[in-house]
């Protein structure tokens, strides 16, 4: 391996990897017990909303949900194009190989196709990354981008570092190289998620991007610090802290509420999230139990404070406190 990105393994990094590994194992067991496809759907919504909002997109979770369901949504042309690109990309996450540079270019094409003429190609001009005080990072010359990306992928293929470390290093180095004309932040965060989900599928229910969104200023500050330091140690620590926080948040919610639902109740809630006007007859067909049993479960879900009926017989169901689901 000819190239190795500069970073150090600190005691803080080792401690965080230990904590993350322990908690991801616990969450993996809970996920097996709850078996909730809705967790992945809600994570996808939060992930897409989070990564877009970091870049200044104002679309919220409700409008991202509506777009996922094929509904019309109000927003600027660029914001809707950004959202549609992100939705299309995250839907492809299980088909991509994180070690394949061609898949990176393919992913950028999906993400930015409506926004850039040369989406899916590395930039052909020099760029600087702006901040509050002007340019905070001058990216390497465009002539160096192909060789730098080749080196980065060669390192990723050869490294025996823990995926929690290698994904964070890749994320930072990608942002430092800034290989595309636009969409670099979204692509860097996506590729780290891809690496982590390839390592452990439980990461498909962990919206890391939404945690980063909540710590947005710190995220940019850490990138700036690492640029000055010339290595990514502080960024690795930041990302591992964010991952640990995301896992804890999901684990608490799954354990506290979702884990108390039966499998039939989980399916009922999922169906109502997809169609708030779904009938008891339809639920009976989907779940495979009698209409009477469906009505009993609906009553129990109301008692738990998870569902409420709005508008009587001709009304619809609402899922309360979506936060408890992930």
């Amino acid at each position: 391996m000819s190239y190795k990105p500069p970073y150090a393994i600190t005691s803080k990094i080792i401690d965080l990897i230990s904590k993350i590994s322990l908690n991801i194992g616990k969450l993996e067991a809970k996920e097996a017990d709850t078996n909730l496809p809705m967790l992945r759907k809600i994570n996808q919504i939060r992930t897409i909303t989070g990564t877009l909002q970091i870049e200044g997109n104002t679309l919220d979770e409700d409008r991202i949900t509506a777009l996922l369901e094929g509904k019309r949504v109000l927003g600027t042309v660029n914001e809707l194009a950004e959202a549609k690109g992100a939705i299309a990309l995250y839907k492809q996450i299980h088909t991509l190989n994180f070690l394949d540079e061609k898949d990176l270019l393919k992913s950028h094409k999906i993400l930015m196709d409506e926004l850039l003429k040369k989406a899916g190609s590395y930039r052909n001009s020099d760029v600087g990354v702006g901040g509050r005080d002007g340019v905070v990072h001058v990216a390497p010359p465009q002539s160096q981008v192909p060789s730098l990306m080749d080196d980065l992928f060669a390192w990723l293929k050869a490294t025996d570092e823990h995926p929690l470390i290698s994904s964070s290093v890749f994320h930072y180095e990608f942002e430092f190289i800034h290989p595309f004309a636009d969409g670099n932040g979204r692509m860097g965060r996506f590729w780290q998620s891809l690496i982590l989900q390839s390592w452990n599928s439980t990461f498909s229910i962990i919206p890391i991007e939404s945690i980063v969104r909540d710590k947005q200023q710190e995220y940019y500050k850490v990138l700036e610090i690492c640029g000055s330091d010339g290595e990514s140690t502080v960024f690795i620590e930041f990302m591992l802290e964010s991952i640990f926080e995301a896992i804890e948040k999901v684990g608490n919610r799954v354990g506290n509420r979702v884990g108390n639902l039966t499998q039939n109740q989980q399916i009922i809630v999922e169906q109502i999230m997809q169609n708030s006007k779904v009938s008891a007859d339809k639920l009976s067909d989907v779940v495979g139990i009698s209409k009477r049993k469906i009505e009993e479960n609906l009553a129990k879900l109301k008692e738990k404070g998870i569902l409420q009926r709005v508008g009587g017989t001709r009304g619809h169901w609402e899922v309360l406190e979506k936060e408890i689901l992930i």
Side-chain angles (χ1 to χ4, degrees):
M1 181 167 54
S2 59
Y3 171 74
K4 183 181 186 300
Y7 60 90
I9 303 299
T10 63
S11 57
K12 182 176 182 179
I13 289 173
I14 293 171
D15 181 56
L16 283 166
I17 287 175
S18 176
K19 289 178 178 178
I20 290 169
S21 297
L22 177 63
N23 280 271
I24 199 72
K26 291 179 180 178
L27 186 55
E28 195 172 7
K30 288 179 181 178
E31 186 197 7
D33 289 339
T34 56
N35 189 29
L36 275 177
M38 79 178 79
L39 291 178
R40 289 184 175 83
K41 180 179 179 181
I42 299 173
N43 167 60
Q44 186 181 56
I45 292 166
R46 292 195 169 178
T47 292
I48 292 168
T49 305
T51 201
L52 290 173
Q53 288 183 348
I54 290 170
E55 305 299 327
N57 192 300
T58 64
L59 297 183
D60 56 18
E61 289 181 14
D62 288 340
R63 285 186 283 177
I64 295 297
T65 301
L67 283 173
L68 275 164
E69 294 172 351
K71 298 176 182 176
R72 294 187 64 182
V73 169
L74 292 178
T76 69
V77 172
N78 273 6
E79 284 187 329
L80 292 174
E82 288 172 352
K84 290 175 183 176
I87 288 169
L89 178 57
Y90 278 89
K91 283 182 177 179
Q92 295 292 319
I93 194 166
H94 298 297
T95 72
L96 299 167
N97 179 0
F98 70 89
L99 295 173
D100 191 340
E101 189 175 357
K102 290 180 180 178
D103 273 6
L104 179 81
L105 296 171
K106 171 185 172 183
S107 297
H108 186 259
K109 173 74 171 173
I110 295 170
L111 178 70
M112 302 299 294
D113 200 30
E114 291 188 27
L115 297 158
L116 286 178
K117 288 183 179 178
K118 294 187 176 181
S121 300
Y122 292 140
R123 58 183 166 87
N124 56 11
S125 61
D126 295 343
V127 298
V129 181
R132 288 183 176 179
D133 302 319
V135 176
V136 296
H137 169 60
V138 177
Q142 59 89 17
S143 60
Q144 296 180 14
V145 168
S147 61
L148 289 171
M149 291 304 297
D150 284 345
D151 287 344
L152 183 56
F153 271 97
W155 171 80
L156 188 61
K157 291 174 184 177
T159 185
D160 58 0
E161 289 285 21
H162 195 289
L164 287 164
I165 295 175
S166 62
S167 65
S168 299
V169 172
F170 186 97
H171 184 167
Y172 171 75
E173 292 290 327
F174 182 90
E175 301 305 339
F176 178 83
I177 298 168
H178 222 69
F180 298 110
D182 195 11
N184 294 284
R186 280 161 278 173
M187 281 300 305
R189 292 185 292 273
F190 173 79
W191 216 255
Q192 177 158 22
S193 291
L194 174 60
I195 294 170
L196 291 174
Q197 289 190 34
S198 299
W199 169 54
N200 189 315
S201 62
T202 304
F203 275 96
S204 66
I205 64 168
I206 301 170
I208 299 168
E209 287 88 337
S210 69
I211 298 296
V212 174
R213 186 266 320 278
D214 294 340
K215 302 160 73 172
Q216 180 175 349
Q217 295 307 313
E218 186 181 355
Y219 172 69
Y220 286 127
K221 184 64 177 176
V222 168
L223 284 170
E224 189 177 340
I225 290 170
C226 289
S228 299
D229 291 346
E231 52 100 66
S232 59
T233 304
V234 177
F235 185 79
I236 299 169
E237 292 176 346
F238 169 80
M239 285 308 304
L240 294 184
E241 286 176 334
S242 300
I243 291 167
F244 179 59
E245 185 178 335
I247 293 170
E248 276 201 315
K249 209 168 185 179
V250 172
N252 289 339
R253 286 166 181 159
V254 172
N256 289 344
R257 296 298 296 272
V258 177
N260 294 328
L261 302 185
T262 67
Q263 185 173 4
N264 286 342
Q265 289 169 352
Q266 292 163 16
I267 297 172
I268 290 169
V269 174
E270 180 186 2
Q271 291 297 311
I272 288 173
M273 288 183 65
Q274 294 176 4
N275 177 10
S276 63
K277 294 186 177 182
V278 63
S279 67
D281 287 330
K282 176 64 175 177
L283 288 171
S284 176
D285 291 339
V286 173
V287 180
I289 59 178
S290 68
K291 182 179 177 182
R292 182 177 63 82
K293 288 291 185 183
I294 290 291
E295 291 170 345
E296 289 177 0
N297 278 289
L298 288 170
K300 290 176 181 178
L301 289 166
K302 286 175 65 178
E303 289 175 11
K304 289 175 182 281
I306 293 173
L307 293 182
Q308 76 172 6
R309 186 70 182 175
V310 178
T313 306
R314 295 183 177 274
H316 64 277
W317 290 101
E318 284 189 1
V319 179
L320 305 175
E321 300 179 75
K322 290 185 181 180
E323 290 286 320
I324 68 173
L325 298 175
I326 189 164

